[in-house]
Amino acid sequence: MKCLSCGFELDDDAVFCSQCGKKIELPVQDIAEAVTETVGEAADAVSEVKEAAKPVEAVEKTADKAEEKVRAVAEDLKEDVAEAVVAEPVLPDTNATVAAIDEALEALNSQAEAAAETVTEDIKDKVEEKAAEVKEKAEETVEKLEDKAEEVKEAAAPKTIAPEIKPLKKREKPQYEAPAEEAAPAAETAAPLYTQNEIGGAAPQYAQQQYAPYNEQYAAPQQPAQSEPEAPAKVGALRISFAGFIAILTIIFLTLVSLLFCVRIGCSGKVLENRTKNMNINTVLDADLGKRSLSDAIYNEVGFADASHDEVSKAEFRVYLSKTNLLQYAGSFVKDYADYFIEGDIADPSVTANEMADFFVNNDVVARTILDCELTNSDYNKIRTTLELKDTADNFSIDKWSKKAHFDLGNTSFIFSYVALGIILGLVLVLLVWIAVIVDGRGKHIVGMYGSVFSCSGGIVFAVGLAAVAGTAIANIITGWFIFYLLASLLLPFGVMALGIGAAELLLGFIFKRIRRGIKNSDKRNKAVEKALMGV
């Protein structure tokens, strides 16, 4: 760089001339470059405004044109400054020159700022207008496409949908080709390929086409997916526990009604009378009652030795009893007792001392035939008196039994009546229905509970019948006690009925359990199939 006054060669960054001491003034070219830089910053500001409005295509065009216009003004200024440099290469060496340059720079800066503000306001207005227009067009396009999609879905929906297995493997989304009638509306709403130059002229200026992202609502109408029926919710543990409690009550009442029915039919008065008459008289007389047989017990109890004046021994008395109608006589009393307890249609049948003595009076012919002595009415009266003194009849008094039991045994007939049996059976049915309601009607739980109810009740009834038939006989063989022989003879019909009813209930329980197992196996197979399909 040279000094403008003396022409001395100076450094580029010198402020004063080292030869003449004059202050170094900047050339007009540098001032022009500064002006150009300022104008360039204004153009960059306009570019930033354009970037802010870039989402809207029309506004982008306007910003580009505004930027070009500002740059053109800057180029004109640059050319004017260049011409001024050529015409007047050096400014006068005065302070007024520097002030004029500063004023020019300030004026240019204010003009650039004013131009930028004006362009920014114009751009904002354009942005708002274009955004409103684009929003309206987008809403119209969405509405049209939604209407078309609904029409296509209605047209493509089948009248009847055959059930099918829901695919477990994810399928690819099918490509959709818009039909011809939809092409025109879509073309109308699509973004234009070019826009009119709104600033500088009518020449078309191409812009980048904006494509909307893929939206599933505009995709091809899919065939309505086959919705599988939702699996019912599992029955809670509380419901299962409560159903189990009801099942226990059902077992109790079912067992009770089964046993009561067996007693009602198998232990009726007629049945027990026949069973008593069919017993072996010798076995009965020889029955062990502890330290003596039954015949010896009767001999001592009625005082037969005193009545016969010690002329009849125990052995002879046994032979005498074996020829009498002892079993028929006892059978009639057993029938009366059974009818009283079960049927309840007769008066108190308790045996008295007179009725016991009448047995010997009625068998007077047998005594004359078998025994060597002949018994008189006085002898029979002695037997009657002995029985009364020993209170033998009290052992067979129902009133005495009721006092010991603290319960009127005559009321037991209500328990064995058909009305009571019907009520208990109805209660059992209600409990069975209640179980089904508690488990929410689930077949697996219903048949499982029913299987347990019938199996447990049938097992108990069957065990009671087996004990009545086989248990008493085995106990009689082992012990030889008369009570077991008596029970084995009298309870045989009851035991057979209990075995039959128990076996029927066990069969029902087995059937329900088989059904339960079948349902369980079916569930396992279904789960295995689902796992296999998931692995495909």
Side-chain angles (χ1 to χ4, degrees), residues 133-190:
E133 293 177 1
V134 171
K135 184 177 180 181
E136 292 178 359
K137 291 182 179 181
E139 291 177 353
E140 293 177 359
T141 303
V142 170
E143 292 178 358
K144 290 180 181 180
L145 290 176
E146 287 179 351
D147 295 339
K148 291 292 182 181
E150 292 293 335
E151 293 177 1
V152 173
K153 286 181 179 180
E154 292 178 359
K159 300 300 181 179
T160 57
I161 301 175
E164 61 180 5
I165 298 176
K166 186 175 181 180
L168 300 177
K169 185 178 180 181
K170 185 176 180 181
R171 295 182 296 181
E172 296 182 356
K173 191 181 298 295
Q175 298 296 330
Y176 172 68
E177 295 181 0
E181 58 271 16
E182 294 184 8
E188 292 176 2
T189 59

Side-chain angles (χ1 to χ4, degrees), residues 116-274:
E117 291 177 357
T118 303
V119 171
T120 303
E121 291 178 358
D122 293 340
I123 290 173
K124 288 182 179 179
D125 295 338
K126 294 293 183 180
V127 167
E128 293 177 357
E129 293 177 1
K130 293 297 180 180
E133 293 177 1
V134 171
K135 184 177 180 181
E136 292 178 359
K137 291 182 179 181
E139 291 177 353
E140 293 177 359
T141 303
V142 170
E143 292 178 358
K144 290 180 181 180
L145 290 176
E146 287 179 351
D147 295 339
K148 291 292 182 181
E150 292 293 335
E151 293 177 1
V152 173
K153 286 181 179 180
E154 292 178 359
K159 300 300 181 179
T160 57
I161 301 175
E164 61 180 5
I165 298 176
K166 186 175 181 180
L168 300 177
K169 185 178 180 181
K170 185 176 180 181
R171 295 182 296 181
E172 296 182 356
K173 191 181 298 295
Q175 298 296 330
Y176 172 68
E177 295 181 0
E181 58 271 16
E182 294 184 8
E188 292 176 2
T189 59
L193 296 178
Y194 63 89
T195 58
Q196 185 75 15
N197 191 341
E198 298 179 2
I199 298 177
Q205 183 175 1
Y206 290 89
Q208 182 179 2
Q209 186 173 356
Q210 302 294 326
Y211 292 94
Y214 176 79
N215 195 334
E216 291 185 357
Q217 65 177 339
Y218 304 131
Q222 300 284 337
Q223 189 76 8
Q226 301 295 331
S227 60
E228 295 181 354
E230 296 183 357
K234 294 183 178 180
V235 180
L238 184 60
R239 282 176 170 262
I240 296 296
S241 301
F242 187 56
F245 174 73
I246 299 300
I248 293 174
L249 294 180
T250 309
I251 293 171
I252 294 173
F253 285 109
L254 182 58
T255 304
L256 180 62
V257 72
S258 299
L259 293 177
L260 290 178
F261 181 76
C262 293
V263 172
R264 182 70 174 78
I265 302 300
C267 294
S268 64
K270 190 66 175 176
V271 172
L272 293 182
E273 182 182 14
N274 293 331

Side-chain angles (χ1 to χ4, degrees), residues 425-453:
L425 183 60
L427 181 60
V428 170
L429 296 178
V430 170
L431 292 176
L432 291 176
V433 174
W434 202 1
I435 290 173
V437 173
I438 292 173
V439 298
D440 202 15
R442 306 294 174 80
K444 178 176 66 175
H445 298 293
I446 291 175
V447 295
M449 291 290 181
Y450 286 2
S452 299
V453 167

Side-chain angles (χ1 to χ4, degrees), residues 3 74 81 111 148 167 221 232 262 267 288 307 317 341 383 399 424 460-461 525 530 533:
C3 180
V81 173
Q111 291 178 0
K148 291 292 182 181
C262 293
C267 294
D288 187 6
F317 182 75
F341 288 123
I383 294 176
D399 185 47
I424 299 175
I460 295 173
V461 175
R525 287 194 297 269
E530 290 179 1
L533 291 176

Side-chain angles (χ1 to χ4, degrees), residues 34-85:
V35 171
T36 303
E37 183 179 356
T38 302
V39 174
E41 293 177 356
D44 293 337
V46 173
S47 299
E48 293 178 358
V49 174
K50 181 197 70 172
E51 291 294 332
K54 188 175 181 181
V56 183
E57 184 177 359
V59 177
E60 182 182 4
K61 308 299 184 300
T62 304
D64 291 340
K65 293 170 185 177
E67 182 183 1
E68 291 179 0
K69 190 172 182 179
V70 173
R71 291 189 184 279
V73 173
E75 292 295 333
D76 293 341
L77 290 175
K78 187 176 181 180
E79 290 176 0
D80 294 340
V81 173
E83 291 176 359
V85 173

Side-chain angles (χ1 to χ4, degrees), residues 281-289 292-304 313-322 326 360 482:
I281 185 62
N282 293 320
T283 305
V284 172
L285 295 175
D286 293 337
D288 187 6
L289 299 181
R292 54 187 178 177
S293 64
L294 179 60
S295 63
D296 293 343
I298 296 174
Y299 182 84
N300 295 332
E301 192 69 22
V302 300
F304 202 83
S313 63
K314 292 181 179 179
E316 293 174 340
F317 182 75
R318 182 194 177 285
V319 176
Y320 159 73
L321 289 179
S322 65
L326 177 63
F360 296 99
F482 176 68

